[in-house]
Every structure is written in C-alpha cells, then in structure tokens.
Amino acid sequence: RMPSCLLKLTRVLLSNKLRALFILIFMLVSLGYLTLYWRTTEDSNDSALYSLSMEPSCAHSVPFSHPQPSGTPPSRGNVFFVETSEQTKPGYLFSCSVESAARTHPEASVVVLMRGLGKGNASLPKHWVFSLLSCFPNVQIQPLDLPELFSGTPLAKWYLWPLRRWEPYLLPVLSDACRIVLMWKYGGIYLDTDFIVLRNLENLTNAMGIQEDDELNGAFLSFSPKHEFMELCMKDFVENYNALIWGHQGPKLLTRVFKKWCPTRTIQSMSCKGVRALAPEVLYPIPWENWKKLFEATSALELQKLLRNTFAVHIWNKLSHSTRLEIPSQALLAQLYSQFCPATYAKMKQD
C-alpha cells in the first residue's frame, strides 16, 4: 500500500497542478543555470592559467609613443642592438640588455636588428623573449638586411666578396661593421647584447668607452649621424682589413682611428675635437680579466660604491656565458638583473 504521507502529497499535487508545474520548471532552470556557471568559471580559470604559463606579464611595460612600422628607416635618437648570427632563440642576458635599455630610454626607439628573422611581414618566432619584449612599446624587433645596411658605404663592396663567409671571425667582424655603419647612417646609440643599462645614455654623445689602458671598446658607441669620425672608421675598416686577427676591426680599429684623430700616443679619459673617450668606470667598471667578480656575492653598499659613476655594465658574455648564476642570490650579476630588468629576472626565477 502507498504510504499515507506520499498519498497526501499526491492529492496536493493533483489539486494544484499549475503551481506544481511552475515549481518543477523553476527547479530545473535553476539547476541548469548553476551547472553552466560552474563550467564557465572552470574554463575561465583554466584559460587564465594557460595564458599565464605561456605569456609573460606586461606589468613592467613602459609608456611610449607609437613605434615606427617594421621596415621603416630608423629615426634619429635610436638605441640599436644587432644580432649577426642566424639564431632566433635569445637568452636571458639578451632579454635583460634590451629590457634595461627600454626602461632607461622610454622616449627612444630601441631597435633590435636580427639577421635570422624573415623579411617582410613575417611574424616573430614563438619564443618567450619576443613575448616579454613585446610588453615594451618602444622596442622594435626587425630583420637585419646586411646588403641594404651596407649600401652607399665603403663596406658595400667589402661585404659582397664571395669568400667572406669562410673567414674565422666573420660573425664578430660583421657586428663590428654593422655598428659603425649604423652610427654613420642614422646616429644614436649602439650597444652589444651583453650590456645591462643602469642610466639614460643620451647625454654621452659622440663617445666611446675605454675598456683598459690605451684601448677603446666599441660595445658602446654614441654618435650623431654622418659624423666624420665614423666615416674615418668605415674607411679604416676597408683599407686596413685583416680577418685573421681577433679585434682588429673592433677595439683595435677604434683605437687606431682615435689616435690619428687627436693625435695622441696614449688614450685616457679625454675629449678630442668633439669626440670623447669615457673613463672605464662609465661602461666597463669590471675589467674583462676580472669578469668572475660578476658571480661573487656583493653587498648593497659595495655595489653602490662600485657603480656610482657607471651608466651601463658590460658583462663580457664571451667569457662568462658558461658560468652558472644562482637565482636568487647576492651575486653581483643577479642583483643587476633584479634591479634593472625585473621582467627578465621574474622569468629567470620562474624557470
């Protein structure tokens, strides 16, 4: 027999058919809505987590006016970086160099020219460095077109020699060539991709840095366009070319030309006919022979004292690239990453 309570419920429902139907529909709609809400919330959370893992945060971006379209000739006042190899998967130091330059030069275009990128409207490779640097609206990453860059200069014919590719130091020599042509054609600032920039460099005009006694280094150059000193450098590059000696087209070239420009037998911190040789502590506070100091623990007071007259720090990547850097740590280099390229540093800690 049917229980008495169930029998009473059946009689109530039969006597209130419309009300019961309404309650039933309301319960079904409410259940469906709750199910849809929770599924949407879960999908949204999953999507957010996926995006977070794939793309870096742009919380560290800097304000800037609209950059030039890709392929547009660079304007005056740019900061240039050049990658003459075909590689398109740069590392932490490359990222930090560009980021630190973008932060310290928010009103300038930071132009990164890479030989490995496709010409035209080809999209950038899917790599975290490009995603991270896209957060900075003043950074432009463009293909490096060497024949176009060298056209109209003494280096155009030099570059087209068919046996050039077999030279032992071709990539650094190409880099040496690019920087002096960029300075002559467009002016601005050139930096190697193993610099960490601490301050704005725009007041260091028509200048180079002394890396050690009586020798200049071209890892930093700052010149107005069509400057006579850069024109002399291009001529010396071709006339005194020697592919077999390391640095002959780089530091040794700049040193040769500067000594003729002054003239002088020795180079020290000086200004000569409008061209400056900057003291080592301005750009090379850590000499190349002491590069291991970059990986040593350094107190905040010692770091401040070391860098009080420094605008940028050269990391000597050719010597230091294979040395392990603990992150986080009190190593001098780790502190530089933390303070001057925090977006790159966050990626390093995540990895």
mmCIF file of all heavy atoms in Angstrom, residues 314-349:
data_model
loop_
_atom_site.group_PDB
_atom_site.id
_atom_site.type_symbol
_atom_site.label_atom_id
_atom_site.label_comp_id
_atom_site.label_asym_id
_atom_site.label_seq_id
_atom_site.Cartn_x
_atom_site.Cartn_y
_atom_site.Cartn_z
ATOM 1 N N HIS A 314 79.139 46.196 -18.767
ATOM 2 C CA HIS A 314 79.412 45.182 -19.787
ATOM 3 C C HIS A 314 79.674 43.850 -19.093
ATOM 4 O O HIS A 314 80.483 43.774 -18.161
ATOM 5 C CB HIS A 314 80.621 45.595 -20.624
ATOM 6 C CG HIS A 314 80.769 44.817 -21.886
ATOM 7 N ND1 HIS A 314 81.930 44.161 -22.226
ATOM 8 C CD2 HIS A 314 79.902 44.568 -22.893
ATOM 9 C CE1 HIS A 314 81.770 43.561 -23.398
ATOM 10 N NE2 HIS A 314 80.549 43.786 -23.809
ATOM 11 N N ILE A 315 78.990 42.790 -19.550
ATOM 12 C CA ILE A 315 79.004 41.505 -18.837
ATOM 13 C C ILE A 315 80.049 40.540 -19.404
ATOM 14 O O ILE A 315 80.258 39.470 -18.849
ATOM 15 C CB ILE A 315 77.589 40.869 -18.873
ATOM 16 C CG1 ILE A 315 76.554 41.877 -18.344
ATOM 17 C CG2 ILE A 315 77.511 39.602 -18.046
ATOM 18 C CD1 ILE A 315 76.838 42.376 -16.933
ATOM 19 N N TRP A 316 80.704 40.895 -20.505
ATOM 20 C CA TRP A 316 81.757 40.048 -21.092
ATOM 21 C C TRP A 316 81.233 38.629 -21.347
ATOM 22 O O TRP A 316 81.782 37.647 -20.877
ATOM 23 C CB TRP A 316 82.997 40.009 -20.190
ATOM 24 C CG TRP A 316 83.499 41.371 -19.799
ATOM 25 C CD1 TRP A 316 83.403 41.953 -18.577
ATOM 26 C CD2 TRP A 316 84.161 42.325 -20.650
ATOM 27 N NE1 TRP A 316 83.968 43.212 -18.586
ATOM 28 C CE2 TRP A 316 84.449 43.465 -19.844
ATOM 29 C CE3 TRP A 316 84.544 42.342 -21.994
ATOM 30 C CZ2 TRP A 316 85.089 44.604 -20.339
ATOM 31 C CZ3 TRP A 316 85.174 43.474 -22.494
ATOM 32 C CH2 TRP A 316 85.444 44.578 -21.675
ATOM 33 N N ASN A 317 80.159 38.559 -22.119
ATOM 34 C CA ASN A 317 79.471 37.283 -22.326
ATOM 35 C C ASN A 317 80.355 36.223 -22.976
ATOM 36 O O ASN A 317 80.174 35.035 -22.729
ATOM 37 C CB ASN A 317 78.225 37.506 -23.182
ATOM 38 C CG ASN A 317 77.370 36.264 -23.285
ATOM 39 O OD1 ASN A 317 76.993 35.676 -22.284
ATOM 40 N ND2 ASN A 317 77.082 35.850 -24.509
ATOM 41 N N LYS A 318 81.308 36.639 -23.791
ATOM 42 C CA LYS A 318 82.199 35.659 -24.431
ATOM 43 C C LYS A 318 82.955 34.851 -23.388
ATOM 44 O O LYS A 318 83.251 33.673 -23.591
ATOM 45 C CB LYS A 318 83.175 36.383 -25.373
ATOM 46 C CG LYS A 318 84.119 35.442 -26.116
ATOM 47 C CD LYS A 318 84.970 36.189 -27.104
ATOM 48 C CE LYS A 318 86.005 35.263 -27.737
ATOM 49 N NZ LYS A 318 85.391 34.128 -28.452
ATOM 50 N N LEU A 319 83.252 35.471 -22.236
ATOM 51 C CA LEU A 319 83.974 34.793 -21.166
ATOM 52 C C LEU A 319 83.038 34.186 -20.131
ATOM 53 O O LEU A 319 83.331 33.138 -19.551
ATOM 54 C CB LEU A 319 84.913 35.790 -20.466
ATOM 55 C CG LEU A 319 85.993 36.431 -21.342
ATOM 56 C CD1 LEU A 319 86.658 37.577 -20.592
ATOM 57 C CD2 LEU A 319 87.021 35.402 -21.777
ATOM 58 N N SER A 320 81.901 34.825 -19.872
ATOM 59 C CA SER A 320 81.069 34.461 -18.721
ATOM 60 C C SER A 320 79.871 33.574 -19.048
ATOM 61 O O SER A 320 79.195 33.087 -18.140
ATOM 62 C CB SER A 320 80.545 35.741 -18.048
ATOM 63 O OG SER A 320 79.677 36.457 -18.925
ATOM 64 N N HIS A 321 79.592 33.327 -20.330
ATOM 65 C CA HIS A 321 78.313 32.706 -20.715
ATOM 66 C C HIS A 321 78.110 31.297 -20.153
ATOM 67 O O HIS A 321 76.979 30.868 -19.947
ATOM 68 C CB HIS A 321 78.175 32.665 -22.243
ATOM 69 C CG HIS A 321 79.115 31.712 -22.916
ATOM 70 N ND1 HIS A 321 80.407 32.043 -23.227
ATOM 71 C CD2 HIS A 321 78.943 30.425 -23.322
ATOM 72 C CE1 HIS A 321 80.999 31.016 -23.808
ATOM 73 N NE2 HIS A 321 80.140 30.022 -23.871
ATOM 74 N N SER A 322 79.180 30.565 -19.894
ATOM 75 C CA SER A 322 79.022 29.185 -19.437
ATOM 76 C C SER A 322 79.029 29.049 -17.914
ATOM 77 O O SER A 322 78.941 27.935 -17.386
ATOM 78 C CB SER A 322 80.129 28.306 -20.027
ATOM 79 O OG SER A 322 81.403 28.762 -19.610
ATOM 80 N N THR A 323 79.127 30.177 -17.195
ATOM 81 C CA THR A 323 79.170 30.144 -15.732
ATOM 82 C C THR A 323 77.759 30.154 -15.166
ATOM 83 O O THR A 323 76.928 30.977 -15.562
ATOM 84 C CB THR A 323 79.962 31.341 -15.186
ATOM 85 O OG1 THR A 323 81.270 31.340 -15.781
ATOM 86 C CG2 THR A 323 80.098 31.267 -13.676
ATOM 87 N N ARG A 324 77.497 29.265 -14.230
ATOM 88 C CA ARG A 324 76.164 29.156 -13.637
ATOM 89 C C ARG A 324 75.903 30.331 -12.694
ATOM 90 O O ARG A 324 76.737 30.672 -11.855
ATOM 91 C CB ARG A 324 76.019 27.839 -12.881
ATOM 92 C CG ARG A 324 74.661 27.655 -12.196
ATOM 93 C CD ARG A 324 74.559 26.292 -11.544
ATOM 94 N NE ARG A 324 73.336 26.166 -10.777
ATOM 95 C CZ ARG A 324 72.145 25.885 -11.287
ATOM 96 N NH1 ARG A 324 72.035 25.709 -12.586
ATOM 97 N NH2 ARG A 324 71.094 25.778 -10.514
ATOM 98 N N LEU A 325 74.732 30.945 -12.816
ATOM 99 C CA LEU A 325 74.328 32.046 -11.957
ATOM 100 C C LEU A 325 73.174 31.598 -11.076
ATOM 101 O O LEU A 325 72.132 31.173 -11.587
ATOM 102 C CB LEU A 325 73.908 33.256 -12.797
ATOM 103 C CG LEU A 325 73.367 34.466 -12.022
ATOM 104 C CD1 LEU A 325 74.452 35.062 -11.132
ATOM 105 C CD2 LEU A 325 72.817 35.518 -12.983
ATOM 106 N N GLU A 326 73.354 31.677 -9.765
ATOM 107 C CA GLU A 326 72.286 31.297 -8.838
ATOM 108 C C GLU A 326 71.239 32.411 -8.772
ATOM 109 O O GLU A 326 71.567 33.580 -8.613
ATOM 110 C CB GLU A 326 72.856 31.052 -7.446
ATOM 111 C CG GLU A 326 73.772 29.838 -7.348
ATOM 112 C CD GLU A 326 73.026 28.522 -7.541
ATOM 113 O OE1 GLU A 326 71.811 28.499 -7.300
ATOM 114 O OE2 GLU A 326 73.668 27.522 -7.923
ATOM 115 N N ILE A 327 69.970 32.007 -8.907
ATOM 116 C CA ILE A 327 68.848 32.946 -8.836
ATOM 117 C C ILE A 327 67.827 32.408 -7.844
ATOM 118 O O ILE A 327 67.353 31.285 -8.005
ATOM 119 C CB ILE A 327 68.179 33.117 -10.216
ATOM 120 C CG1 ILE A 327 69.156 33.752 -11.205
ATOM 121 C CG2 ILE A 327 66.909 33.952 -10.115
ATOM 122 C CD1 ILE A 327 69.486 35.188 -10.908
ATOM 123 N N PRO A 328 67.469 33.163 -6.798
ATOM 124 C CA PRO A 328 68.064 34.449 -6.420
ATOM 125 C C PRO A 328 69.354 34.252 -5.640
ATOM 126 O O PRO A 328 69.592 33.185 -5.088
ATOM 127 C CB PRO A 328 66.975 35.071 -5.538
ATOM 128 C CG PRO A 328 66.305 33.894 -4.909
ATOM 129 C CD PRO A 328 66.335 32.785 -5.927
ATOM 130 N N SER A 329 70.164 35.299 -5.571
ATOM 131 C CA SER A 329 71.395 35.266 -4.786
ATOM 132 C C SER A 329 71.900 36.691 -4.650
ATOM 133 O O SER A 329 71.337 37.625 -5.216
ATOM 134 C CB SER A 329 72.455 34.379 -5.469
ATOM 135 O OG SER A 329 72.965 35.027 -6.622
ATOM 136 N N GLN A 330 72.989 36.837 -3.899
ATOM 137 C CA GLN A 330 73.610 38.147 -3.733
ATOM 138 C C GLN A 330 74.749 38.361 -4.727
ATOM 139 O O GLN A 330 75.517 39.322 -4.596
ATOM 140 C CB GLN A 330 74.141 38.295 -2.300
ATOM 141 C CG GLN A 330 73.052 38.443 -1.259
ATOM 142 C CD GLN A 330 72.181 39.666 -1.533
ATOM 143 O OE1 GLN A 330 72.680 40.786 -1.643
ATOM 144 N NE2 GLN A 330 70.881 39.448 -1.635
ATOM 145 N N ALA A 331 74.847 37.465 -5.727
ATOM 146 C CA ALA A 331 75.853 37.664 -6.768
ATOM 147 C C ALA A 331 75.631 39.015 -7.441
ATOM 148 O O ALA A 331 74.495 39.451 -7.637
ATOM 149 C CB ALA A 331 75.786 36.539 -7.800
ATOM 150 N N LEU A 332 76.723 39.671 -7.783
ATOM 151 C CA LEU A 332 76.633 40.998 -8.382
ATOM 152 C C LEU A 332 75.719 40.985 -9.604
ATOM 153 O O LEU A 332 74.843 41.843 -9.760
ATOM 154 C CB LEU A 332 78.042 41.476 -8.757
ATOM 155 C CG LEU A 332 78.236 42.950 -9.120
ATOM 156 C CD1 LEU A 332 79.697 43.344 -8.917
ATOM 157 C CD2 LEU A 332 77.823 43.263 -10.553
ATOM 158 N N LEU A 333 75.903 39.989 -10.485
ATOM 159 C CA LEU A 333 75.101 39.918 -11.700
ATOM 160 C C LEU A 333 73.629 39.671 -11.395
ATOM 161 O O LEU A 333 72.743 40.257 -12.032
ATOM 162 C CB LEU A 333 75.651 38.817 -12.617
ATOM 163 C CG LEU A 333 74.949 38.646 -13.973
ATOM 164 C CD1 LEU A 333 74.900 39.952 -14.744
ATOM 165 C CD2 LEU A 333 75.651 37.568 -14.800
ATOM 166 N N ALA A 334 73.336 38.835 -10.407
ATOM 167 C CA ALA A 334 71.951 38.578 -10.022
ATOM 168 C C ALA A 334 71.277 39.855 -9.534
ATOM 169 O O ALA A 334 70.099 40.117 -9.820
ATOM 170 C CB ALA A 334 71.889 37.497 -8.947
ATOM 171 N N GLN A 335 72.008 40.686 -8.798
ATOM 172 C CA GLN A 335 71.457 41.951 -8.316
ATOM 173 C C GLN A 335 71.193 42.913 -9.475
ATOM 174 O O GLN A 335 70.215 43.661 -9.458
ATOM 175 C CB GLN A 335 72.404 42.583 -7.295
ATOM 176 C CG GLN A 335 72.537 41.789 -6.002
ATOM 177 C CD GLN A 335 73.315 42.552 -4.944
ATOM 178 O OE1 GLN A 335 72.898 43.619 -4.511
ATOM 179 N NE2 GLN A 335 74.450 41.992 -4.538
ATOM 180 N N LEU A 336 72.067 42.895 -10.480
ATOM 181 C CA LEU A 336 71.841 43.746 -11.653
ATOM 182 C C LEU A 336 70.569 43.320 -12.386
ATOM 183 O O LEU A 336 69.750 44.171 -12.788
ATOM 184 C CB LEU A 336 73.047 43.679 -12.591
ATOM 185 C CG LEU A 336 74.353 44.301 -12.092
ATOM 186 C CD1 LEU A 336 75.449 44.107 -13.123
ATOM 187 C CD2 LEU A 336 74.175 45.775 -11.776
ATOM 188 N N TYR A 337 70.399 42.017 -12.583
ATOM 189 C CA TYR A 337 69.168 41.519 -13.209
ATOM 190 C C TYR A 337 67.946 41.969 -12.410
ATOM 191 O O TYR A 337 66.965 42.468 -12.971
ATOM 192 C CB TYR A 337 69.185 39.994 -13.264
ATOM 193 C CG TYR A 337 69.877 39.387 -14.459
ATOM 194 C CD1 TYR A 337 71.103 38.726 -14.333
ATOM 195 C CD2 TYR A 337 69.283 39.431 -15.720
ATOM 196 C CE1 TYR A 337 71.728 38.147 -15.429
ATOM 197 C CE2 TYR A 337 69.901 38.854 -16.821
ATOM 198 C CZ TYR A 337 71.122 38.218 -16.667
ATOM 199 O OH TYR A 337 71.735 37.651 -17.751
ATOM 200 N N SER A 338 67.991 41.780 -11.105
ATOM 201 C CA SER A 338 66.852 42.081 -10.252
ATOM 202 C C SER A 338 66.453 43.546 -10.316
ATOM 203 O O SER A 338 65.259 43.875 -10.374
ATOM 204 C CB SER A 338 67.188 41.692 -8.809
ATOM 205 O OG SER A 338 66.161 42.093 -7.921
ATOM 206 N N GLN A 339 67.440 44.447 -10.350
ATOM 207 C CA GLN A 339 67.152 45.883 -10.280
ATOM 208 C C GLN A 339 66.841 46.504 -11.634
ATOM 209 O O GLN A 339 66.003 47.407 -11.714
ATOM 210 C CB GLN A 339 68.350 46.615 -9.652
ATOM 211 C CG GLN A 339 68.597 46.268 -8.201
ATOM 212 C CD GLN A 339 69.773 47.042 -7.632
ATOM 213 O OE1 GLN A 339 69.954 48.225 -7.906
ATOM 214 N NE2 GLN A 339 70.596 46.366 -6.827
ATOM 215 N N PHE A 340 67.481 46.036 -12.699
ATOM 216 C CA PHE A 340 67.423 46.778 -13.954
ATOM 217 C C PHE A 340 66.680 46.066 -15.086
ATOM 218 O O PHE A 340 66.413 46.673 -16.112
ATOM 219 C CB PHE A 340 68.841 47.154 -14.398
ATOM 220 C CG PHE A 340 69.542 48.017 -13.387
ATOM 221 C CD1 PHE A 340 70.502 47.479 -12.542
ATOM 222 C CD2 PHE A 340 69.201 49.350 -13.246
ATOM 223 C CE1 PHE A 340 71.135 48.265 -11.586
ATOM 224 C CE2 PHE A 340 69.819 50.146 -12.295
ATOM 225 C CZ PHE A 340 70.789 49.603 -11.466
ATOM 226 N N CYS A 341 66.347 44.789 -14.903
ATOM 227 C CA CYS A 341 65.469 44.105 -15.870
ATOM 228 C C CYS A 341 64.561 43.155 -15.095
ATOM 229 O O CYS A 341 64.679 41.934 -15.221
ATOM 230 C CB CYS A 341 66.274 43.380 -16.953
ATOM 231 S SG CYS A 341 67.556 42.251 -16.329
ATOM 232 N N PRO A 342 63.645 43.698 -14.284
ATOM 233 C CA PRO A 342 62.836 42.856 -13.391
ATOM 234 C C PRO A 342 61.931 41.868 -14.112
ATOM 235 O O PRO A 342 61.649 40.803 -13.574
ATOM 236 C CB PRO A 342 62.016 43.878 -12.592
ATOM 237 C CG PRO A 342 62.068 45.138 -13.395
ATOM 238 C CD PRO A 342 63.381 45.134 -14.094
ATOM 239 N N ALA A 343 61.471 42.187 -15.307
ATOM 240 C CA ALA A 343 60.635 41.233 -16.048
ATOM 241 C C ALA A 343 61.442 40.004 -16.451
ATOM 242 O O ALA A 343 60.974 38.856 -16.313
ATOM 243 C CB ALA A 343 60.015 41.891 -17.272
ATOM 244 N N THR A 344 62.643 40.220 -16.952
ATOM 245 C CA THR A 344 63.539 39.104 -17.290
ATOM 246 C C THR A 344 63.906 38.327 -16.031
ATOM 247 O O THR A 344 63.944 37.086 -16.035
ATOM 248 C CB THR A 344 64.811 39.625 -17.967
ATOM 249 O OG1 THR A 344 64.449 40.340 -19.158
ATOM 250 C CG2 THR A 344 65.745 38.486 -18.326
ATOM 251 N N TYR A 345 64.168 39.028 -14.947
ATOM 252 C CA TYR A 345 64.526 38.384 -13.676
ATOM 253 C C TYR A 345 63.385 37.496 -13.173
ATOM 254 O O TYR A 345 63.630 36.381 -12.691
ATOM 255 C CB TYR A 345 64.881 39.451 -12.650
ATOM 256 C CG TYR A 345 65.353 38.913 -11.325
ATOM 257 C CD1 TYR A 345 66.587 38.297 -11.205
ATOM 258 C CD2 TYR A 345 64.557 39.026 -10.182
ATOM 259 C CE1 TYR A 345 67.040 37.820 -9.985
ATOM 260 C CE2 TYR A 345 64.996 38.541 -8.962
ATOM 261 C CZ TYR A 345 66.229 37.937 -8.862
ATOM 262 O OH TYR A 345 66.672 37.444 -7.658
ATOM 263 N N ALA A 346 62.151 37.964 -13.310
ATOM 264 C CA ALA A 346 61.000 37.152 -12.902
ATOM 265 C C ALA A 346 60.926 35.864 -13.715
ATOM 266 O O ALA A 346 60.615 34.790 -13.187
ATOM 267 C CB ALA A 346 59.713 37.959 -13.059
ATOM 268 N N LYS A 347 61.231 35.960 -15.009
ATOM 269 C CA LYS A 347 61.248 34.767 -15.853
ATOM 270 C C LYS A 347 62.359 33.811 -15.425
ATOM 271 O O LYS A 347 62.170 32.588 -15.395
ATOM 272 C CB LYS A 347 61.446 35.200 -17.314
ATOM 273 C CG LYS A 347 61.641 34.065 -18.312
ATOM 274 C CD LYS A 347 60.447 33.152 -18.406
ATOM 275 C CE LYS A 347 60.683 32.094 -19.477
ATOM 276 N NZ LYS A 347 59.616 31.063 -19.476
ATOM 277 N N MET A 348 63.506 34.348 -15.059
ATOM 278 C CA MET A 348 64.621 33.522 -14.606
ATOM 279 C C MET A 348 64.229 32.762 -13.332
ATOM 280 O O MET A 348 64.521 31.573 -13.197
ATOM 281 C CB MET A 348 65.852 34.385 -14.353
ATOM 282 C CG MET A 348 66.419 35.048 -15.590
ATOM 283 S SD MET A 348 67.732 36.238 -15.216
ATOM 284 C CE MET A 348 69.086 35.109 -14.888
ATOM 285 N N LYS A 349 63.590 33.459 -12.391
ATOM 286 C CA LYS A 349 63.164 32.798 -11.146
ATOM 287 C C LYS A 349 62.114 31.722 -11.440
ATOM 288 O O LYS A 349 62.125 30.649 -10.827
ATOM 289 C CB LYS A 349 62.602 33.844 -10.176
ATOM 290 C CG LYS A 349 63.660 34.757 -9.585
ATOM 291 C CD LYS A 349 63.164 35.454 -8.326
ATOM 292 C CE LYS A 349 61.988 36.359 -8.637
ATOM 293 N NZ LYS A 349 61.528 37.082 -7.420
#
